């Protein structure tokens, strides 16, 4: 079968998408790139921008990409988010009167 004529077509806004992403230190997703392109006078749908990003292996950075998912430092022993707190929580539960 002969290839589709548009299979090798390069999207004309692909360079603009890459430039916006580079200027944002590669943190922007399709929504923010769309807004930045609209400020520059380039009109494109979010789906089109998302397709361009996927084809070129770009993806938005998320908090989970960093070394610490929550963005906070180590927790104190006994705080609600430490592992020690969950193991001792049952022993600290108040004894409610059963009537």
């Amino acid at each position: 079968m002969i290839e589709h004529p548009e299979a090798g077509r390069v999207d004309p806004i692909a360079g603009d998408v890459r430039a916006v992403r580079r200027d944002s230190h590669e943190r922007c997703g399709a929504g923010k790139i769309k807004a930045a392109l609209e400020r520059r006078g380039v009109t494109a749908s979010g789906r089109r921008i998302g397709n361009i990003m996927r084809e070129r292996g770009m993806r938005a950075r998320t908090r989970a990409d960093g070394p610490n998912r929550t963005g906070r430092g180590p927790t104190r022993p006994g705080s609600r988010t430490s592992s020690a707190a969950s193991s001792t929580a049952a022993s600290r539960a108040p004894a409610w009167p059963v009537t």
Side-chain angles (χ1 to χ4, degrees):
M1 181 174 175
I2 300 174
E3 284 189 36
H4 196 274
E6 293 183 7
R9 183 177 71 100
V10 177
D11 200 318
I13 67 162
D16 295 329
V17 171
R18 179 68 185 125
V20 168
R21 186 170 160 78
R22 185 181 55 244
D23 293 343
S24 69
H25 303 286
E26 300 187 357
R27 286 186 177 94
C28 289
K32 288 185 178 182
I33 290 175
K34 176 179 168 44
L37 289 176
E38 285 178 351
R39 286 191 297 270
R40 293 182 178 187
V42 177
T43 304
S45 69
R47 179 181 291 180
R48 182 177 173 190
I49 293 169
N51 288 341
I52 291 169
M53 290 178 67
R54 186 175 52 254
E55 289 168 2
R56 287 160 178 72
M58 298 182 226
R59 64 180 270 256
R61 283 179 38 189
T62 61
R63 286 186 186 197
D65 293 338
N68 187 353
R69 278 189 51 200
T70 61
R72 291 177 278 176
T75 56
R76 297 184 314 273
S79 69
R80 292 175 41 172
T81 57
S82 75
S83 60
S86 62
S87 64
T88 59
S91 64
R92 286 195 244 154
W96 300 104
V98 178
T99 55

